[in-house]
Amino acid sequence: MTDQQRNSVWRGARQDFAVRRHRLMDRLHARLAGRVPPASGFSVPPEPRGLGDPVAGRDLVAGRFLFDGQLVTSPQRSIWNLGPESSPQALQLQGCGWLDDLAALGDAAARARAQAWILGWIDRYGTGRGPGWTPELTGRRLIRWIDYAPFVLQGMAPQDQMRLFGSLTRQTAWLARRWKTAEPGRGRIAALAGLIEAAQALSGLRLPLDRAAQALGQDAAATIDAAGGIASRNPEEVLELVTLLTRAAEGLAEAGLTPPEAVGSAVDRALPVLRLLRHADGGLARFHGGDRGGSGRLDLALAAARDRGAADPGALMGYARMARGRTTLILDAAPPPTGPVSTAAHASTLAFELTSGRRPLVVNCGPGIGLGRDWQRAGRATPSHSTLAIDGYSSSRLGRVERGGSGAEPLRDVPREVPLYRREASGEIRIEAAQDGWRRTHGLTHARTLDLDRDGGLLWGEDLLTTLGTADERRFDRVTAGLDTPGIGFSLRFHLHPDVAASLSADGVRVMLRLRSGEAWVFEHDGAAHLGLEPSVYLENGRLRPRATQQVVLSGRAMAYATQVRWSLAKTTDTPRALRDLARDDVAEDADAVLDLEGRP
């Protein structure tokens, strides 16, 4: 064995020992926390502040579960018996996010499920065993148990109510001892928010919150940067942080403490980012592992933060926004994150989403979290986004998994230069951006120009693959010399929302797009590439399966040092003023098509 191998073995052994010691201390403190006299009730009746999906709640009541990408149908099975406790999905269940959906359904069957699963957790894990005794998960679990206590306690036997309050007390006392071991950032903020809410809500519990409040301010200041962004560039994570910080500040105020100024300042910095990332239909742009944010959650967070501002017209956290009339377009205009924060990041540079009124039109495939490793990896690839991709290569690539790590794959070889230029003149908006993700591999830089007219009814686009000097030209020549087919293949993709009906014209030069509201758009191009309609998928967190949809694809080959494709997306029929456009009427369809995994990062 070499010295390097021996050092690696020793490092692994030390890490294993540190993990075992940490877990042992967690269990010890859980036992000690059990000696705290249980709370007898709530000092103030809790009010549910979460928003769930009643459709997902019906699936849970019926025993239909999505676990590690597999659909499990078992009406009698407990949620704690779905699979290995160490899997990412099992860890997510420990935060009890499923309570949102059961409470949204709100009937007797949903209540019975919620009661059985909470009491089952107490029986199985309540003394400190299992994967859920981490500061972040415990904080999230406390928030949900307290939020939905009126729903859960209704009709519950008195002895079971005592068990519930005993567990709430034990978890709160444990969290008061162990929050300092949470990872700085989102994990510690979730832990502190849960501790503050529980300490304030449970009657008879006297826990000092001064140090927790101070730590909350420090983590808020460190996690949300001076421009309101976060390292992961995940829009949904910004929403989650704003929600947690706002709730924690309210809890401190209700406990008679002045929230740290840093907490309010961090929220104020993040609010413009959320407004910029908010589509016309109220949902978030879906980038870097984030979904739309759940129906109404963004509006709820902005209202709780007492936000009254308008959307920023420029660029924040690496995203650029165009908005005119009823149309919003949000563009990923910065390099993706790298390192540990990039394990859910996407190769989406220069991809955009476009929404008209309450109807998403052009989208990205989505995060794919919970649908299994293959779907999640596919969702991260450049071809799963509405942008240009060179055949077989994403603009960023997945890095090697760390030995002994979680199995998550960070991004590497990301674009280094992503210049952005935005201009408004005579009511029209122009964005010019570029990224060099294929410069090192093919000698090519992708440049994208977008123009939105003053009414929001016409979007012009131009995509260019070009070399930027003699070194790039030599690299391009070397790559193309070794190919069986002349030129470098590329595809320009526009993924459509499942509610959009698309049809290719008989002459193959345009695509007609019709929204369920009755609004119609037409996609046209300059003939420099082949136009087609292909299957695609729409990946949503919490859905049991991907939803089938379509994508408009312009495909061609880069034969020279500069290849240019021009296209346009024009509204031909506006949305009728009718009741049918006041509410979303999504229909969940299973994806019959298999997303092409070629070109995944």
Side-chain angles (χ1 to χ4, degrees), residues 371 375 537-540 543-548 589-591:
L371 292 171
W375 281 116
V537 291
Y538 190 71
L539 309 174
E540 295 175 278
R543 288 277 188 180
L544 296 178
R545 297 181 181 89
R547 297 176 64 188
E589 300 176 27
D590 297 344

Side-chain angles (χ1 to χ4, degrees), residues 527-557:
H530 173 73
L531 175 64
L533 266 179
E534 297 180 8
S536 182
V537 291
Y538 190 71
L539 309 174
E540 295 175 278
N541 292 338
R543 288 277 188 180
L544 296 178
R545 297 181 181 89
R547 297 176 64 188
T549 186
Q550 293 178 287
Q551 57 178 315
V552 178
V553 181
L554 287 170
S555 55
R557 302 194 71 81

